Amino acid sequence: MRDYMRERILAIASYIIETKATVRQAAKIFGVSKSTVHKDMTERLPEINPEKAKLVKEVLEFNKAERHIRGGRATRRKYLNC
């Protein structure tokens, strides 16, 4: 794995852990696709730092569990503003 990838992966992981950010939010901040962030966090990070990978996984699972609630709120706001 290249050094720039390793640095990016660790930076994104730290950001997600500190801010409880979603994959989309992290992708936007770091200027990469959400697919790249997802692959980095689920496949590459466990090879580099298993402890950090565990923490990131907890945040991502929480965000996934809460996703339907966020979607409902967004839809409600959309139709209330019409």
Side-chain angles (χ1 to χ4, degrees):
M1 184 177 310
R2 304 236 165 119
D3 287 337
Y4 76 91
M5 287 175 67
R6 184 180 303 269
E7 290 173 17
R8 179 190 71 216
I9 292 165
L10 292 173
I12 293 172
S14 295
Y15 177 77
I16 289 175
I17 292 167
E18 291 170 13
T19 63
K20 308 285 189 231
T22 63
V23 170
R24 285 177 186 252
Q25 291 168 338
K28 191 173 187 179
I29 294 293
F30 287 90
V32 294
S33 72
K34 61 184 181 166
S35 300
T36 300
V37 172
H38 190 267
K39 184 167 183 134
D40 285 351
M41 297 303 104
T42 59
E43 295 178 19
R44 296 177 179 140
L45 183 60
E47 296 174 8
I48 298 172
N49 190 334
E51 296 85 26
K52 226 176 217 189
K54 197 174 191 180
L55 295 172
V56 168
K57 185 176 181 180
E58 289 174 10
V59 173
L60 296 181
E61 285 178 359
F62 174 79
N63 287 338
K64 185 176 180 182
E66 197 180 65
R67 181 172 55 194
H68 69 285
I69 296 169
R70 283 194 215 111
R73 287 184 187 145
T75 302
R76 184 166 192 257
R77 279 194 308 270
K78 176 182 174 181
Y79 289 105
L80 287 176
N81 290 333
C82 289

